[in-house]
Amino acid sequence: MLPLLTTIVFLPLVGAAVTALLPRERADLPRLVALVVSLVDLALVLWLVVRFDVAGGLQFIERARWIPEANIQYFLGVDGISLPLLFLSALLLPIAILASWKVSERPGFYFTMILLLAVGMNGVFVALDFVLFYVFWELVLVPMYFLIGVWGGPRREYAAIKFFLYTLFGSVFMLVGILALYLHPAGGTFDMTVLASSTGLPASFQWWVFAAFFLGFAVKVPVFPFHTWLPDAHVEAPTAGSVLLAGILLKMGTYGFVRVSLPMLPEAAESWAWFVALLGVISILYGAAVAFAQTDLKKLVAYSSVSHMGFVMLGIAAGTPEGLNGAVAIMFAHGVITGMLFLLVGMVYERTHTRTIADVSGLSKQAPVAAGMLAFASFASLGLPGLAGFVGEFLSLVGAWRSELVAPGFVVAAAIGVLLAAAYMLWMVQRTVLGAPSSAVEGITDLNRLEIGILIPLVVITVVMGVYWSSILRYVDPAVTALLATMGAV
Amino acid sequence: MAYVALIPLLPALAFAVMAPLSRVVRNRVRWLGVAGVGGALLLSLVAFASVWPGGHEGEAAYHASWPIAQVGGVDLSLGILLDPLAAIMLLVVTIVGVCVQVYSLGYMHRDERVGWYFAVLTLFTAAMLALVLSDNFLMFYMAWEVMGLCSYLLIGFWHEQEAPRKASQKAFLTTRVGDVGFAIGLAIMYATVGSFDFDVVLGSAGAWAPGVATAVALLLLFGAMGKSAQVPLHVWLPDAMAGPTPASALIHAATMVAAGVFLVARALPIFEASGVALTVTMAVGAITALLGGLLAAVQHDVKKVLAYSTISQLGYMFLAIGAGGAIAGMFHLVTHAFFKSLLFLGAGVIIHAAHTQDMREMGGLARHLPVTSVTFGIGALALAGIFPFSGFWSKDEILYAVWNDGHYVTFAVALMAAFVTAFYVARLWFRVFTGPVQTENLAEGHTEMLVPMGVLAAITAVIGLTAPRFSEFLGHAGHWPDPAMAVSSSVVALSGLALGWWAYGRTRLVLNTRSLKERSGHAYTVLTQKYYFDVTYEHFIIRPYMRAAESLSRFDGSAIDGAVNGAAGAWKRLTEVAWSFDGRVIDGFVNGVARAARASGGALRRIQAGRVQTYQRYVLGALVLLMLWIVVKGA
């Protein structure tokens, strides 16, 4: 029997080795290799989803000694919280590859980087040993650095270095947290499952370790005021980079809160909750307001991500079943919906050669399919019930109100964020989709079959999840319940 | 009874089929929408018949639910509750829905996106039916928002013009202001009882702390005020008239805007548990009924007259429920849905015929549009509250309920509103249908348009007679109008009509209203400026928000990102200092060694010159292989 998780994580690495070593003359081979690898990976993840036992807790566990001298293990496993994210990662990979089909500049290098990125993304969500977790966490930085820095826009070098250094700066604090847990007598291990169920870390120690992890995760999410690398990275990154950045990389931060901060440092999580909620609410309102003022489509979507991720933080701070279910639901939904938005912005840019909102108008007249998709993604993003975005945001609000850790005022402010989301999204739709075609839009072609094909799975998932919440929550809810049970036991 | 679930599903299915089609094909299959809603109508009739005899027991005739999620062990579900209230609403929605769909076949047939129009209209009907049938507040809210989407899409249907585009956005955002309140209300409700189900929530509402009940009720009311265009959230509805007229008839007159009233009626136990919330509901309704009516009396656009009239009439319904006359309020909802959609459909014919919406450019239409003028006349008399048309009965019940409950101030306001209503009805009628003809080639509407109007007119003419049965069906004692009340309300309505006739209807001596307007000065300006609501919002909310967003955006670049770049710059300078130290002192030694090495390295470099990229790829490949090896060894 094949070790399933290892195969899922490292198959892209094999692919990366192949694409790196392919002869330069065969410029069309790397993308084909990458696509095949990503589709096989997706198939494996789907098989895993099918075989996943909803009530089974951690499963598909693989464990081996790695560096016995330091008691470091090779330890993988998946539960209902990581499963949706692993699926999201596997889903967005072929989509990102197909969206890069026309990359002509050094395709071998490009697809190597994409596949290498996949190793890190998949690995982070299934690693259960802190050292392994950290390796995957940092592994993600390198390929994304190159994706932005080599295939990016005019300010790519600045954006790439900023992305790299800023998130590295954050993860140094995370490393400090990991080591602190390891060196503390009541911790003394890199085993994340042991740390998550252990008791007896003194509250004051927890407080400091939480702060260290907080910095690491908050930069990644990103939470206000650590967010300014995000718009730069998004604007400069190629479409596939933006899709994976917003779709997966941001979720690593919030996943860290759920996987590390809450279960390992439950008392600190409680005393820090108001702060997490505060920054979450500020992110919601601030991100929405700044998004409203943007003139660049990609920046608008980037700031909308800051706003949406604020809802995740609010749900996490709440620490209630509704809040945590909501948090994971938003992570998933945001990956799908924002993926769509970035894909569409990229498709529009390819045709109009501009992302300036003022220059793109009347899409629906000239390119009705693109316009319809953009409008659909926008409504999903602004949290229209019946589509995926609503599920998590609603649960997060309900969960936050129910929580004793979050002040009602925060919830009211967050609810106003839902209104502001409608404001920036509708205004964008009004200016780009509606109206009479502008000169940049005049004469452009509508989406081709490949582009529609890329978007369709995301559209379907958005609708299915929005109508039948259990499609994702059936995995999340038992895991969340288990998580809260261990926290309550402390 | 599982067929009840098909009532919203049939139109939803029609939409699902139509939406992905190409424009050309979709235009051709627009009948699918009509069929979907038609099927829903047939099933609704069956459903209505099934609850009719036993309805007064107050028991739900049919209740089923399907969980869509389990959160923290609690089932959240989509469910169907078919009780008398829902059954009545089903009939209203599907009858008006079919009438509007059929009418639209004639009205919209030349539009190049007619298929999309029908698709959205059908989705709207599905959402409204789901709302009517929902057995819990969550599903109610979801359907509520989907209706909002359809409303947005239809208001902005002709989005190449600026007015519809702006109006659609305004409508969505204004109603969403209300929805923020609604959502918070839901959160409090869930935190209180751990459920959204009507059974659980409404069953326990009486035992809630009064503060909680008041908070939830007022927040729900706030949501209802957005959807039902009550002051001060009414500003979107007049602008929404930029959409196609039949869509206005269905969504912005008969059904969606009445959903707020339906919400309050559904959540009545919470309002009753609060008490205060009922009074607030009554006050909001009374204020809106009067203010809306006064605005209707100064509009020149025929659709805007009807829009303000709708606002005013919805206020009447809130007023009724707040005063303890929930049955009367719901009855008015029903009668209003028929006569107001009739008036809108009539307005559509008028606008097509006169090629304008401005009543000052119309006149004498009665002779050329016989069917329209008769049916419109029936609707107008119903709106004015003239016996025996439907509005008379429902308005009378409301006045009776308000008087009986001892709200004399509200009663006076309601009477004033009734007077104003009759006045603007007369103003509309005489301006449009009498006087000199101002348009050439006046033509009556297509048959597809006239038949639905005939149906609605017939219903409007007779439905009032069901008043006592209506009450009994909803579990209350039925009665015929109190003679004294009927006489006094008729006197008020007739005098309103008479004043309207005196001002606008006399053939010989048409009153020059200009001098009157000039003499009334400020009062008239306040009305034409719509009480300055729009200006106030523009000035104190929208513009400041836009400015704040702009400055936050600048702040983001200069302050927050500036701090990041500043820190990075400072670090760079620090390292440069260290570097120069490193270079001069430490590296001096290293360079000496390096110089020796370079001499030998020259040979190697020659081999590799010009192959930097290949070289990079080898390094990369080697790195990847190395990692792979580590992993394999580890595992």
Side-chain angles (χ1 to χ4, degrees), chain A residues 162 227 286 303 430 470 477, chain B residues 68 72 169 556 561 565 617:
Chain A
K162 188 175 184 180
H227 63 278
Y286 183 88
Y303 279 106
Q430 180 180 323
S470 271
D477 190 52
Chain B
I68 54 165
Q169 185 175 287
D556 198 63
D561 205 29
N565 285 332
R617 287 196 306 126

Side-chain angles (χ1 to χ4, degrees), chain B residues 37-49:
Chain B
V37 180
L41 169 61
L42 293 179
L43 291 177
S44 297
L45 286 169
V46 178
F48 186 84

Side-chain angles (χ1 to χ4, degrees), chain A residues 174-352:
Chain A
M174 184 177 90
L175 184 62
V176 170
I178 293 173
L179 291 176
L181 285 178
Y182 180 68
L183 295 174
H184 194 277
T189 177
F190 289 119
D191 187 322
M192 293 166 74
T193 56
V194 172
L195 287 168
S197 55
S198 74
T199 52
L201 287 173
S204 59
F205 176 75
Q206 284 193 23
W207 197 91
W208 284 106
V209 176
F210 190 97
F213 276 114
F214 180 86
L215 272 177
F217 298 147
V219 171
K220 203 85 171 182
V221 172
V223 180
F224 173 92
F226 307 109
H227 63 278
T228 53
W229 62 268
L230 185 72
D232 282 321
H234 270 312
V235 168
E236 302 306 326
T239 297
S242 285
V243 169
L244 296 176
L245 185 59
I248 309 297
L249 265 60
L250 307 192
K251 277 69 192 183
M252 288 164 55
T254 42
Y255 175 73
F257 277 104
V258 179
R259 177 62 76 215
V260 175
S261 305
L262 291 189
M264 297 183 197
L265 310 161
E267 288 165 49
E270 211 164 286
S271 47
W272 275 93
W274 70 272
F275 185 73
V276 175
L278 175 68
L279 287 193
V281 169
I282 293 177
S283 298
I284 292 170
L285 298 178
Y286 183 88
V290 177
F292 189 82
Q294 295 310 308
T295 52
D296 181 301
L297 269 175
K298 256 191 159 179
K299 270 200 167 171
L300 186 144
V301 181
Y303 279 106
S304 84
S305 291
V306 175
S307 187
H308 288 302
M309 294 309 278
F311 278 100
V312 182
M313 299 301 287
L314 184 69
I316 290 171
T320 48
E322 298 82 18
L324 287 175
N325 270 295
V328 180
I330 303 170
M331 287 190 225
F332 186 83
H334 177 262
V336 173
I337 295 165
T338 309
M340 264 192 288
L341 284 171
F342 276 124
L343 287 168
L344 282 158
V345 171
M347 291 165 187
V348 170
Y349 179 76
E350 267 181 34
R351 292 164 167 77
T352 60

Side-chain angles (χ1 to χ4, degrees), chain B residues 384-416:
Chain B
I386 302 299
F387 182 86
F389 300 107
S390 63
F392 163 79
W393 304 84
S394 52
K395 194 173 291 186
D396 196 80
E397 279 201 26
I398 291 177
L399 290 171
Y400 184 76
V402 174
W403 178 265
N404 258 12
D405 217 38
H407 305 287
Y408 302 116
V409 178
T410 310
F411 181 79
V413 174
L415 272 191
M416 273 191 272

Side-chain angles (χ1 to χ4, degrees), chain A residues 10 13 17 20 22 24 65 106 158 162 166 224-225 227-228 232 286 289 292-294 303 321-322 325 364-365 379 382-386 390 394 398 401-402 415 418-420 422-423 426-427 429-430 434-435 467 469-470 477, chain B residues 67-73 76 112 138 141-142 145-146 149 152 159-160 165 169 172-173 176-177 180 184 186-188 190-191 194 196 545-546 549-550 552-553 555-556 560-561 564-565 613 616-617 620 624 627-628 631 634:
Chain A
F10 290 105
L13 187 62
L22 283 173
R24 272 178 68 81
R65 285 185 304 161
R106 300 166 77 186
Y158 169 75
K162 188 175 184 180
Y166 208 149
F224 173 92
H227 63 278
T228 53
D232 282 321
Y286 183 88
F292 189 82
Q294 295 310 308
Y303 279 106
E322 298 82 18
N325 270 295
S364 81
K365 182 92 180 164
F379 274 98
L382 66 78
L384 189 82
F390 172 72
F394 182 74
V398 170
W401 189 277
R402 216 179 190 190
V418 175
L419 173 67
L420 301 185
L426 286 190
W427 203 38
V429 168
Q430 180 180 323
L434 309 182
V467 174
W469 302 8
S470 271
D477 190 52
Chain B
I68 54 165
Q70 204 175 44
V71 175
L76 304 179
E112 59 169 345
L138 176 62
Y141 181 74
M142 291 174 70
E145 291 270 300
V146 174
L149 167 73
Y152 167 87
H159 60 78
E160 278 161 55
R165 212 157 61 215
Q169 185 175 287
F172 195 89
L173 291 179
R176 219 171 208 220
V177 171
V180 168
I184 297 172
L186 292 182
I188 302 179
Y190 192 79
F196 296 114
Y545 176 65
M546 292 176 94
E550 292 283 345
L552 277 181
S553 179
F555 168 81
D556 198 63
I560 297 189
D561 205 29
V564 173
N565 285 332
Q613 292 191 346
Q616 272 182 359
R617 287 196 306 126
L620 195 66
V624 170
M627 283 171 56
L628 205 56
V631 169

